[in-house]
């Protein structure tokens, strides 16, 4: 059975690497603002996943993330 490791990296440190599962924490507008640099970093973070990507944010999401669809009652 394969050994599972957890690695914590910044988006800059993850450039060029791939992981089965990526968890992007704090994907909010403060961490990844609507600038070219913010968009590039979030793109790098989200494209490291080969199988599963989870994105978490508090408050307002980065403008590069789609807003969740509201559920109808």
């Amino acid at each position: 059975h394969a050994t599972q490791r957890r690695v914590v990296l910044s988006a800059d440190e993850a450039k060029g690497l791939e992981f089965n599962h990526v968890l992007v924490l704090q994907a909010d507008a403060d961490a990844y603002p609507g600038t070219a640099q913010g968009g590039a970093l979030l793109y790098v973070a989200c494209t490291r996943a080969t199988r599963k990507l989870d994105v978490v944010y508090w408050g307002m999401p980065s403008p590069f993330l789609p807003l969740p669809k509201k559920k109808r009652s």
Side-chain angles (χ1 to χ4, degrees):
H1 108 1
T3 302
Q4 294 183 359
R5 296 184 320 151
R6 282 151 185 87
V7 180
V8 178
L9 301 170
S10 69
D12 281 329
E13 294 169 325
K15 282 183 185 177
L17 303 175
E18 291 184 336
F19 303 93
N20 289 337
H21 183 189
V22 171
L23 173 61
V24 179
L25 292 173
Q26 195 180 346
D28 56 48
D30 291 331
Y32 298 100
T35 63
Q37 183 181 10
L41 285 174
L42 187 57
Y43 175 83
V44 168
C46 290
T47 57
R48 303 303 91 205
T50 58
R51 295 187 182 176
K52 184 176 180 183
L53 171 65
D54 290 311
V55 179
V56 178
Y57 61 88
W58 296 265
M60 287 300 298
S62 169
F64 297 103
L65 292 175
L67 289 174
K69 294 181 181 178
K70 293 183 180 180
K71 292 182 180 180
R72 294 183 185 169
S73 303

